[in-house]
């Protein structure tokens, strides 16, 4: 069970790339070398080549600070995106510093309840708990969930993303019932908002399976995982890595299921 860093698209991934990223298509009058750097940064970022992307993003950040200013939304978003690149490389102290810069700048200039500020808070909270800074991380994630529920509504995918993060963290920290309740809320909410076949829905369902199994509801956990396997087969096919990993997980739980279920 993983704390999600800006959502989880698949089991084993901690992050979905942030809105905004190092893009700049809608910003006029940037020098050609900066536009070229934007494109390269985006290409590397989208291909998850984070080691190669990091120096390009740092140079682009210097350009943004100079040309756009420290309060420009693209400058702030790039701090968050660079935090993601560092997080994925497990450079956690630097990732935390970048996410904190994005969060604090956004809160100061755009307000604590702005959707982007709440997104940066989510990422900072995930980085804090991954760095074992539990008290600050849990407090921030809890405030982020309250903010997203109030601003976006409890059924919004962003609110569900933070509910899933908080549920995973609380479960790991020992508050298992509250953690389970939040994971269940996220899973059922994603089913309504994104659909039962969506990969984010299925990833959160996988975390819910782990919670059920730990709580001793092993038959219920197995049934849920069989259903998740069925959706993976239908969505990704019987030979996809996620399908095969889910089948192997079922086998470790003592369930032997035909991979060709429909």
């Amino acid at each position: 069970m993983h704390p999600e860093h800006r959502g989880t698209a698949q089991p084993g991934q901690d992050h979905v790339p942030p809105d905004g990223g190092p893009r700049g298509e809608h910003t006029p009058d940037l020098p050609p070398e900066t536009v070229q750097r934007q494109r390269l940064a985006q290409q590397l970022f989208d291909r998850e080549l984070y080691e190669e992307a990091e120096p390009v993003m740092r140079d682009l950040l210097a350009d943004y600070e100079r040309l756009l200013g420290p309060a420009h939304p693209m400058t702030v978003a790039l701090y968050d995106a660079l935090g993601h690149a560092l997080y994925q490389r497990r450079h956690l102290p630097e990732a935390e510093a970048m996410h904190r810069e994005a969060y604090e700048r956004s809160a100061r200039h755009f307000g604590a309840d702005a959707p982007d500020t709440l997104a940066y808070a989510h990422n900072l909270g995930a980085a804090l708990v991954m760095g074992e800074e539990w008290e600050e991380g849990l407090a921030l994630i809890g405030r982020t969930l309250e903010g997203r529920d109030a601003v976006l509504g409890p059924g919004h995918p962003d609110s569900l993303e933070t509910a899933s993060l908080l549920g995973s963290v609380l479960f790991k920290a020992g508050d298992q019932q509250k953690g389970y309740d939040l994971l269940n809320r996220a899973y059922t909410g994603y089913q309504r908002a994104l659909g039962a076949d969506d990969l984010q829905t299925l990833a959160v369902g996988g975390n819910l399976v782990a919670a059920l199994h730990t709580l001793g509801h092993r038959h219920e956990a197995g049934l849920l995982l069989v259903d998740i396997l069925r959706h993976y087969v239908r969505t990704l096919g019987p030979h996809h890595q996620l399908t095969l990993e889910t089948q192997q997980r079922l086998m470790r739980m003592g369930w032997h299921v035909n991979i060709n279920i429909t």
Side-chain angles (χ1 to χ4, degrees):
M1 190 181 301
H2 300 282
E4 299 97 340
H5 181 257
R6 187 78 166 128
T8 301
Q10 305 175 6
Q13 289 186 330
D14 294 318
H15 182 72
V16 168
D19 298 335
R23 296 177 174 86
E25 296 87 346
H26 303 297
T27 300
D29 301 326
L30 289 174
E33 60 270 20
T34 299
V35 174
Q36 184 178 9
R37 191 170 286 136
Q38 286 176 327
R39 290 171 180 163
L40 177 58
Q42 190 64 57
Q43 289 169 2
L44 294 169
F45 188 91
D46 287 345
R47 292 169 61 192
E48 300 182 357
L49 299 174
Y50 299 117
E51 184 174 359
E52 294 88 340
E54 180 189 340
V56 182
M57 294 170 75
R58 289 187 185 277
D59 289 343
L60 184 59
L61 186 58
D63 286 353
Y64 281 3
E65 290 275 14
R66 176 171 52 88
L67 297 168
L68 302 176
H72 193 282
M74 285 176 56
T75 306
V76 178
L78 186 53
Y79 271 102
D80 188 68
L82 182 54
H84 164 57
L86 291 163
Y87 180 98
Q88 291 294 339
R89 298 181 62 204
R90 291 303 183 259
H91 295 176
L92 295 180
E94 288 184 274
E96 177 192 323
M98 293 296 171
H99 286 310
R100 191 181 298 277
E101 192 68 30
Y103 168 62
E104 291 180 351
R105 289 192 189 200
S106 188
R108 183 164 59 249
H109 294 291
F110 310 119
D113 291 331
D116 283 346
T117 303
L118 294 168
Y120 303 146
H122 177 101
N123 281 351
L124 175 57
L128 286 165
V129 297
M130 285 295 290
E132 302 296 329
E133 299 179 58
W134 290 93
E135 184 175 354
E136 184 182 2
L138 272 170
L140 180 58
I141 297 165
R143 292 197 303 272
T144 303
L145 181 57
E146 292 175 1
R148 281 183 154 178
D149 280 348
V151 172
L152 304 173
H156 191 281
D158 288 353
S159 301
L160 299 170
E161 167 187 83
T162 303
S164 175
L165 171 61
L166 184 57
S168 295
V169 173
L170 285 172
F171 201 94
K172 185 176 180 180
D175 193 346
Q176 294 184 340
Q177 187 58 53
K178 188 171 182 181
Y180 165 79
D181 290 342
L182 284 165
L183 287 169
N184 190 51
R185 168 194 160 178
Y187 179 60
T188 57
Y190 274 138
Q191 286 181 308
R192 290 191 294 269
L194 304 179
D197 287 336
D198 185 87
L199 293 182
Q200 185 128 330
T201 303
L202 297 172
V204 175
N207 281 347
L208 185 60
V209 167
L212 285 165
H213 194 269
T214 300
L215 290 169
H217 304 302
R218 299 189 175 185
H219 185 71
E220 187 177 352
L223 289 174
L224 177 56
L225 196 56
V226 169
D227 189 57
I228 290 170
L229 176 62
R230 181 177 293 110
H231 287 291
Y232 276 137
V233 170
R234 184 165 63 227
T235 303
L236 302 174
H239 304 299
H240 191 278
Q241 180 180 355
L242 288 174
T243 305
L244 297 174
E245 288 176 354
T246 304
Q247 186 188 36
Q248 291 167 4
R249 187 178 175 188
L250 275 164
M251 291 176 67
R252 291 194 298 270
M253 294 169 59
W255 291 64
H256 297 275
V257 178
N258 187 342
I259 197 70
N260 295 312
I261 60 174
T262 58

